[in-house]
Structure formats: C-alpha cells, structure tokens
Amino acid sequence: MIDITPKQETAILIGLINQLQNEKKSQEYLDELEFLALTAGAVVKKKFYQQLEIPNPTTFIGSGKLSEIDTYIKMEEIDLIIFDDELSAVQLRNIEKRLEIKVLDRTNLILDIFAGRAKTAHAKTQVELAQYQYMLPRLTGMWTHLGRQRGGIGMRGPGESQIETDRRIILDKISRLKKQLLKIDKQKNIQRNNRGKLVRVALVGYTNVGKSTLMNLLAKSKIFAENKLFATLDTTVRKVVVGNLPFLLSDTVGFIRKLPHTLIESFKSTLDEVREADLLLHIIDCSHPEFEEQLNTVNQTLNEINAADKPIIYIFNKIDNFSYVEKEEGDLSPKEKENYSLEELENSWMGKKNTPSIFISAKRKTNIEELKELLYTKIRKIHITRFPYNDFLYPDEPIIKDKE
Ligand code: GDP
Ligand code: MG
C-alpha cells in the first residue's frame, strides 16, 4: 500500500533574549510557540536564542546567528523556521533570501491554525480578513520571493507594478470580506436580540485553560475540547439552568500573548459575545507556571475591546494538576511563587474583594456545586433586574439556597 500521509514538517524556533524578555521568559515564549507549531502540525527540532536588545532592522537576528542557523537547517533538512516575534517585510525577505527556507512568525502561525480550524462561514471570513490584513504590508517581501524564482533580472520595474496590482486585489478582497462580515453581523445581531432578556454569561480566558470543558460540564453539551491551542474558534451559546435560574452561556475563542492589534480587530464580531455579556467568567489554569501572566494578557485584551469593567468571576481551574515545591525547614530565603501551596494561593486570591474567586477542577468535577452556588447568587442579582415580577421561571424546581 502506498503511504499517502504527508511528511510532517520539521521546524526550528527563534527567540530573542533582552531586557523585555529575560532568558527564562524567552524560553517560556518558545515553549508556547512549540505548542502552537505542534497544533499546526509541525515537529520542532531545535530552539535558537539570541541575546539582542534591538532586533536588526534588516535581518532581525545577527549575521553570526544566521550562519549558525543556516548550517543547522542544511544539515538537518529543516522545512521551516518560525520567529516568536513579528517580522517586517524587509526582514522576512532578507531572511528568506539568505536561508532559502520558508519563514513564519508567531502571527502567521496563529493565522494558519485558525484557518485550519474555522468551521462556520463567519469564522472563515474573519480568518480570511485577518490573513489579507497580515499580508498587505508584507507584499514586497512576498513578491521578491516569487520574483527570485522567476530569474530576477529586470525585476524592479515589473515587480513594483505587480506589487501595485496585487495590493489593489488584496485591498479589494479586504473590503469585500468586511462587507460580508457586516452582513453576518447583522444576522447575528438579530439572533442575539431574539434571545430576549436572559442574562448572558461569557467564558473568557487564555487558550487551553479549560473553557470548553467547563462549558460542557455546565451545559451538559459536547463541545470539542482537547489539549491543543485554539481547539475552538467559533463561539457557542447554550442555555443553562442552575437551580431554577436560566441564563445563556457562551464559549469563546481563547486569548494568547503577542496577538497583534489588527488580528483582534478581525475577530471583533467573535468578541461581541464577550462585549455584550452581563457577566464574565474568567477561567485561569492555575497549574500553569505562567498563569499570572496569562491572566494579565486576558485582562489587557478585555481592556482593548472595552469589556474590562464588566462584573467578573475568576475561576481557577485544574487544581487537580497544581503542584508546588515545599521549602525545606530552616530555609529562610524569601518564598518564590513556585513555593506557594494551593491553600496559600487560594487565600491570596479569595481575599480580594473586587473580584470573587473560586478554585475548581472541571475535569475531576471538584467544587462544581460551590461554583454553581456562586453563579446562582451573581446571576440572580442581574436576573431580577430584568424580570422583576417573574423571578422564578420554574417555581416547582428546587432552588439552590441563596446564601445571602
Ligand atoms: P479551552 O481552550 O480553554 O477551551 O480548553 P479545553 O476545554 O479545550 O481544555 C484544554 C485541555 O485542558 C484539555 O486537554 C482538557 O482535558 C484539559 N482540562 C480541562 N479542565 C481540566 C482540569 O480541571 N484539570 C486538568 N488536569 N485538565 C483539564
Ligand atoms: Mg475551547
């Protein structure tokens, strides 16, 4: 039998070390980038780091590092190289020319994953728009790449006019996609209005923290959840009843570090679900060593889409996977964050008045009843402002005891 499975592409990753990202941080970024590459279907063979305060404007990294990489990729027959930071058109072109290899950056990779996972017309249109928007300022690099294959002599004239033509085609596509999205948005708005006055709750959080798993648990539904980044791209909305209280719960796309602003713009209508929610459930994977930074990334993105001032509950998930390093007796050096026990972590967050917090495991179903009680209390408060005379829609069903 002929094996028709395509060969898995091999990749190397490249990250910078500088004042903004020290060695440890840079390693964490590249670990995440490796996870992204894996999700896209590539195997990472090696990670390269370069200490550099300001990236080289023409080649991003220095010439010594380029040579080192060149030797490695030729020897190991690597298919593509992925940069953790965004490359300019010039950098992209120069690196491609120097190494004769496919070059991607983080944004590119994320877009590729999105493209592979978008199911509905809505998601597909948004991804396509983001891809063209990403492409537009980089046309020069891409055209030169094509031009080189065509021989190169006398490229300048025809090349430039070709870029102009390509630019116009792409601008055209962008405006067509925007119109298409507006149309879909209108339909979505109608759908949303038809949902009536029910309280709307949105799950938000970094990618892979367990949003879909929790949605499945609360809504008793079956949404695709797996240990990959961006397993879900489309928003799902389900009616959920806790106690006697009905509300709408939506599962949204996860946030991630270093997402360029234009990308967030392209996914605006997906994020409408978040923007229009009455209550946000911010899921945090507290077993992740970087959970605090992830939490901040999500809060920053919420800020960018003007959703940061909504009522919010922090749900710390994956407590079953939480681990810490206990300090030896007599060790009086200050505690690092990896020395905090779950109990200490809980105490530090539960004490914060403004944002209610709860610690759960969606997988092991730990503390889910407590979570439901918390949800009930919060949602009921909003619910009774909408339905002042019809507080209990299902009077015969048992009510979860309101703790207040
Ligand atoms: P999403 O990207 O936020 O929607 O995350 P998913 O719901 O797809 O879950 C990502 C991964 O985390 C999956 O492999 C889940 O099985 C896993 N997961 C979800 N909740 C828990 C939990 O409470 N504990 C552990 N250990 N894993 C979990
Ligand atoms: Mg999900």
Side-chain angles (χ1 to χ4, degrees):
M1 227 168 76
I2 307 165
D3 185 10
I4 49 161
T5 38
K7 178 182 159 277
Q8 215 169 11
E9 286 185 78
T10 52
I12 59 160
L13 310 181
I14 299 161
L16 292 186
I17 298 170
N18 52 33
Q19 277 191 345
L20 287 177
Q21 43 195 54
N22 61 22
E23 191 173 342
K24 187 160 171 273
K25 184 108 293 156
S26 187
Q27 276 169 8
E28 283 156 7
Y29 281 152
L30 285 205
D31 284 348
E32 187 172 83
L33 193 67
E34 178 172 9
F35 202 1
L36 282 166
L38 195 80
T39 303
V43 213
V44 173
K45 289 291 181 190
K46 196 173 158 83
K47 295 170 187 158
F48 287 86
Y49 296 91
Q50 182 165 45
Q51 200 133 19
L52 201 59
E53 273 322 311
I54 300 162
N56 185 314
T58 52
T59 53
F60 195 76
I61 46 177
S63 61
K65 190 55 80 176
L66 268 177
S67 301
E68 187 189 331
I69 290 172
D70 193 30
T71 314
Y72 183 84
I73 57 177
K74 299 267 148 61
M75 206 166 65
E76 301 290 324
E77 297 183 11
I78 299 296
D79 299 307
L80 79 153
I81 68 177
I82 310 170
F83 285 80
D84 193 44
D85 299 277
E86 224 177 304
L87 299 173
S88 70
V90 175
Q91 291 165 337
L92 189 71
R93 178 181 54 202
N94 286 330
I95 299 166
E96 271 189 352
K97 212 192 251 167
R98 171 78 172 77
L99 301 178
E100 298 176 307
I101 193 172
K102 185 154 72 168
V103 180
L104 298 183
D105 59 22
R106 178 183 269 250
T107 312
N108 218 213
L109 186 63
I110 292 175
L111 284 177
D112 197 71
I113 297 170
F114 276 167
R117 295 187 167 234
K119 293 266 170 354
T120 59
H122 186 215
K124 282 183 184 156
T125 316
Q126 289 184 89
V127 176
E128 217 182 321
L129 175 63
Q131 280 177 319
Y132 280 121
Q133 257 157 355
Y134 174 85
M135 218 188 259
L136 197 58
R138 290 173 180 78
L139 268 181
T140 337
M142 291 175 190
W143 172 252
T144 308
H145 182 62
L146 294 176
R148 190 155 40 81
Q149 288 169 352
R150 291 177 193 188
I153 298 172
M155 277 312 305
R156 204 181 146 73
E160 304 247 302
S161 69
Q162 184 61 41
I163 291 166
E164 239 340 280
T165 319
D166 288 357
R167 244 177 69 82
R168 252 175 279 132
I169 295 172
I170 290 181
L171 280 173
D172 234 41
K173 288 222 155 122
I174 287 180
S175 85
R176 202 143 30 94
L177 286 167
K178 278 189 174 161
K179 272 187 210 138
Q180 236 166 298
L181 273 179
L182 271 180
K183 218 158 135 198
I184 302 176
D185 283 353
K186 263 191 205 146
Q187 289 163 359
K188 290 232 154 192
N189 268 336
I190 295 169
Q191 279 173 17
R192 272 201 287 265
N193 289 338
N194 286 344
R195 286 189 210 147
K197 292 194 288 182
L198 278 186
V199 177
R200 282 156 57 181
V201 181
L203 293 163
V204 296
Y206 208 74
T207 181
N208 211 45
V209 293
K211 296 182 294 298
S212 299
T213 309
L214 186 62
M215 172 91 173
N216 285 336
L217 193 62
L218 292 174
K220 301 185 181 77
S221 57
K222 280 205 175 62
I223 291 166
F224 189 47
E226 63 168 349
N227 194 21
K228 278 193 175 171
L229 301 181
F230 307 115
T232 32
L233 184 58
D234 294 302
T235 321
T236 322
V237 183
R238 293 269 185 284
K239 186 170 165 189
V240 176
V241 181
V242 169
N244 60 348
L245 195 63
F247 61 94
L248 295 172
L249 184 64
S250 66
D251 181 19
T252 62
V253 58
F255 299 162
I256 193 160
R257 287 186 282 213
K258 296 188 179 178
L259 252 198
H261 198 85
T262 50
L263 251 183
I264 297 177
E265 284 286 306
S266 307
F267 294 99
K268 253 202 164 100
S269 40
T270 289
L271 296 171
D272 274 349
E273 211 61 61
V274 175
R275 225 185 327 236
E276 293 173 13
D278 302 298
L279 173 69
L280 301 180
L281 307 182
H282 182 163
I283 322 295
I284 298 136
D285 172 2
C286 67
S287 72
H288 196 288
E290 284 299 289
F291 81 86
E292 274 148 327
E293 204 195 328
Q294 297 187 342
L295 187 149
N296 290 335
T297 303
V298 173
N299 283 340
Q300 273 164 23
T301 315
L302 288 176
N303 233 331
E304 274 184 52
I305 61 168
N306 299 323
D309 53 354
K310 288 181 183 296
I312 196 161
I313 298 176
Y314 283 164
I315 301 178
F316 292 87
N317 190 28
K318 305 200 189 181
I319 55 169
D320 59 291
N321 205 26
F322 186 87
S323 65
Y324 73 106
V325 190
E326 210 166 343
K327 293 198 81 170
E328 277 174 37
E329 223 170 298
D331 181 353
L332 296 176
S333 63
K335 251 188 188 176
E336 300 285 339
K337 69 176 182 188
E338 58 263 26
N339 303 124
Y340 281 96
S341 69
L342 187 60
E343 201 184 339
E344 285 168 313
L345 188 70
E346 284 189 29
N347 288 337
S348 77
W349 283 96
M350 305 285 254
K352 292 188 181 153
K353 284 242 161 50
N354 301 342
T355 319
S357 304
I358 187 159
F359 285 69
I360 66 157
S361 163
K363 199 171 185 169
R364 302 251 187 281
K365 304 196 172 82
T366 320
N367 267 348
I368 301 303
E369 281 316 307
E370 288 79 356
L371 170 66
K372 283 184 179 169
E373 279 185 38
L374 180 63
L375 288 178
Y376 184 86
T377 315
K378 295 287 166 198
I379 296 169
R380 189 169 178 273
K381 269 191 194 148
I382 309 169
H383 185 88
I384 54 179
T385 63
R386 306 266 167 90
F387 303 92
Y389 307 110
N390 184 15
D391 188 0
F392 303 110
L393 291 185
Y394 305 93
D396 294 337
E397 285 186 30
I399 310 164
I400 289 189
K401 210 170 142 245
D402 197 338
K403 279 193 161 170
E404 283 182 336

